């Protein structure tokens, strides 16, 4: 199998002019007609699937990297005439009867990262030039994740996907980040169908549950399924009506049975319609916390699926596991940001030969390193130029200066003091308010290190907002105890009067810091929070009119850097239940709060540069 994988990769690189590409996971070589996959050639080792441990034993294929493809010589500046000749030759190529299904997932607007869309097009064109027929599908989370998605509210990515000639797509949880209505508008602009067997409006399916594509005389069904966790990992209000009632859903019963049956019904219907193969396009993932809605749960509780193309958890695991009848099903995932391209090869004899991924392992994106120039590279460049124009577009205004600096004090060089890391400011209040408003959480934290520049009085551009939050952190919501909140406030204030990026701007509570008391915070060997020993300097913490209760639970919004990833040493939230996961980019949250909630105008409530009195420092 490894030899065949090397051969396939070598011809692909030669056709696509892509150097330094390796095969990740080496693919899964299978022989399959209309039933479950059958592993051949001893290519699978017996292991459980990723971090998921379903009752069915899973077999995870070995990760082996084939030798680097031989160096190819090609002009980096291919002329337009040569491109036209190549396209003409591809059109005239005799078809060999084989099919390659290519798939992407969790692109998150990474249009010029990894392979990039230009590299993906080059790969597809190279396959077709060899006589293969191709089908290109996407498993969700394509329209959100970078400024180009945020500022165009997904439209720029849909336009590029149209140019790429995608054949089918499914919604991921982040397709809804601009609102459900906006996503449905975008689906009408798409030249390809969105499918889902479990996305409903008032209990009726929004999209077709499956679609059948014909290639090389074979009927290939694609069934779409999206994680029910979308209800909480996007913004819950987007799935509600004006009365706060949920009208959209993803069949999120706690047993998982509704989703399993929906997938089964779609697979059965596709078979009845004459499908030779059934591919599930899933945005489900392989994290234990996602159960009972992981890919492994679905495979273990269904039959009739040949291959499960998966996304959501950004992994690249290549797995073969047993379905409900004990038949083996291949599952493939492609990571994120176009670092990988997924493929499934169907032979002219009607066998699934191999399913796996190609990965781009260089830090420099393929289009840049190889000088790839084609229709898509031109489109990507155009989109990026339009992004620059969008960054200068005025979206709101402010009648007050929003600051991270002390308006009066200066340092020894005469420069303004950057006090966002030592004290409350009006911009800190604004950012924290945005997190709480857009998630509906009880409390919100914004660490001072994530707020980078002032917003001057007058017009506010998209570029201004992006500059305030340039890191692209995701906002999430956790269920935490009052004690965890106390520990976080203590950790954030430990350095005072010195500054630290961990200093917490807040919304939904007020607190005092007595700097006469030494910090009681303990650090571990990596300088992360390890506990409290001694008298606390944080005191009089109030949530509204009530004292914070250490035993009570609260919903806490903040960026994933501090709440999920131990950024700035915040470890006290480890293992806290996630209520909303990766809701939106922090800069998108700030835009939406100013434009939608404040009506596009930041006014007198944020006039005081020292904030609204939420943080009192006792000296």
């Amino acid at each position: 199998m490894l030899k065949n994988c090397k051969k396939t990769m070598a011809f692909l690189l030669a056709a696509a002019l892509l150097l330094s590409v390796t095969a990740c996971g080496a693919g899964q070589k299978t022989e399959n007609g209309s039933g479950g996959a059958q592993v051949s050639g001893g290519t699978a080792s017996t292991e459980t699937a990723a971090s998921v441990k379903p009752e069915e034993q899973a077999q995870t294929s070995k990760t082996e990297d084939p030798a680097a493809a031989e160096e190819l010589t090609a002009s980096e500046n291919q002329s337009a005439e040569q491109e036209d000749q190549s396209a003409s030759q591809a059109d005239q190529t005799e078809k060999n009867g084989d099919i390659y299904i290519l798939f992407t997932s969790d692109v998150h607007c990474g249009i010029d990262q990894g392979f990039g869309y230009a590299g993906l097009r080059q790969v597809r064109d190279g396959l077709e030039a060899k006589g293969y027929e191709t089908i290109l599908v996407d498993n969700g989370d394509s329209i959100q994740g970078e400024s180009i998605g945020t500022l165009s509210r997904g439209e720029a990515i849909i336009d590029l996907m149209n140019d790429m000639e995608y054949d089918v797509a499914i919604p991921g949880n982040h397709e809804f980040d601009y609102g459900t209505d906006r996503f449905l508008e975008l689906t009408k602009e798409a030249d390809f169908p969105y499918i889902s067997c479990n996305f409903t409006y008032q209990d009726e399916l929004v999209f077709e549950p499956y679609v059948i594509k014909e290639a090389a005389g074979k009927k290939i069904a694609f069934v779409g399924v999206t994680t029910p966790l979308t209800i909480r990992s996007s913004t819950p209000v987007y799935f509600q009506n004006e009365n706060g009632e949920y009208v959209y859903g993803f069949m999120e019963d706690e047993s998982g049975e509704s989703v399993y049956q929906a997938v089964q019904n779609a697979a059965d219907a596709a078979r009845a319609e004459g499908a030779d193969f059934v591919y599930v396009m899933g945005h489900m993932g392989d994290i234990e916390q996602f159960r009972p809605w992981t890919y492994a749960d679905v495979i273990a509780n269904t039959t009739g699926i040949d291959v499960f193309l998966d996304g959501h958890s950004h992994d690249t695991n290549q797995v073969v596991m047993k379905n409900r009848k004990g038949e083996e099903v291949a599952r493939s995932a492609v990571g994120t940001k176009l670092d990988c391209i997924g493929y499934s090869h169907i032979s002219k004899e009607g066998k699934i030969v191999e399913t796996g991924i190609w990965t781009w392992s260089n830090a420099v994106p393929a289009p840049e390193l190889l000088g790839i120039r084609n229709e898509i590279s031109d489109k990507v460049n155009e989109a990026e130029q339009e992004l620059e124009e969008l960054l200068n577009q005025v979206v709101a205004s402010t009648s007050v200066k929003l600051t991270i600096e002390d308006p009066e004090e200066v340092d020894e060089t005469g420069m303004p003091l950057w006090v966002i890391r030592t004290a409350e400011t009006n911009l800190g209040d604004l950012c924290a308010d945005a997190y709480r408003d857009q998630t509906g959480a009880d409390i919100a934290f914004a660490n001072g290190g994530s707020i980078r520049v002032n917003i001057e009085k007058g017009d506010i551009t998209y570029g201004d907002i992006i500059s305030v939050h340039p890191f692209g952190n995701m906002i999430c919501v956790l269920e935490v105890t009052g004690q965890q909140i106390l520990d976080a406030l203590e950790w954030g204030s430990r350095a005072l009067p010195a500054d630290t990026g961990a200093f917490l701007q807040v919304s939904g509570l007020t607190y005092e810091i007595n700097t006469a008391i030494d910090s009681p915070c303990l650090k571990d060997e990596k300088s992360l929070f390890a506990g409290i020993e001694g008298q606390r300097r944080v005191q009089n913490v109030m949530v509204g009119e009530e004292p914070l209760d250490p035993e009570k639970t609260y919903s806490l919004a903040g960026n994933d850097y501090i709440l999920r990833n131990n950024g700035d040493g915040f470890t006290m939230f480890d293992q806290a239940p996630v209520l909303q996961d990766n809701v939106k980019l922090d800069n998108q949250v700030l835009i939406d709060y100013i434009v939608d909630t404040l009506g596009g105008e930041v006014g007198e409530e944020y006039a005081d540069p020292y904030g609204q009195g939420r943080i009192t420092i006792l000296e």
Side-chain angles (χ1 to χ4, degrees), residues 135-171:
I135 299 172
L136 178 61
V137 304
D138 183 81
N139 290 340
D141 281 9
S142 62
I143 66 173
Q144 174 273 357
E146 300 278 351
S147 298
I148 191 170
T150 299
L151 301 186
S152 68
R153 300 182 69 227
E155 184 175 10
I157 305 303
I158 293 294
D159 289 345
L160 284 169
M161 292 178 74
N162 287 339
D163 293 329
M164 287 291 300
E165 298 179 313
Y166 272 88
D167 293 289
V168 191
I170 67 168

Side-chain angles (χ1 to χ4, degrees), residues 503-516:
F503 185 82
L504 293 175
Q505 306 289 325
V506 299
S507 179
L509 62 74
T510 61
Y511 67 109
E512 298 176 354
I513 306 167
N514 189 342
T515 57

Side-chain angles (χ1 to χ4, degrees), residues 437-458:
D437 174 85
Q438 294 290 295
T439 62
D442 299 323
I443 298 165
F445 289 162
N447 60 308
S450 70
I451 305 170
R452 309 298 292 187
V453 298
N454 301 326
I455 298 179
E456 299 297 328
K457 183 178 179 180

Side-chain angles (χ1 to χ4, degrees), residues 372-431:
I372 295 173
R373 181 173 176 268
N374 54 32
E375 176 188 359
I376 298 303
S377 65
D378 293 340
K379 295 287 186 180
V380 169
N381 290 337
E382 290 174 12
E384 290 175 338
Q385 290 172 6
E386 291 175 1
L387 173 61
E388 290 300 316
E389 296 176 5
L390 280 171
L391 290 173
N392 294 323
Q393 182 177 329
V394 174
V395 293
S397 64
T398 175
S399 61
V400 299
K401 179 178 179 179
L402 300 163
T403 188
I404 63 173
E405 301 169 344
D406 192 302
E408 299 177 0
E409 298 293 326
V410 296
D411 64 17
E412 61 275 8
T413 67
M415 298 297 292
L417 288 174
W418 203 9
V419 295
I420 192 79
R421 297 167 179 244
T422 59
E424 180 182 354
T425 78
N426 57 358
L427 184 54
D429 287 353
L430 181 74
C431 293

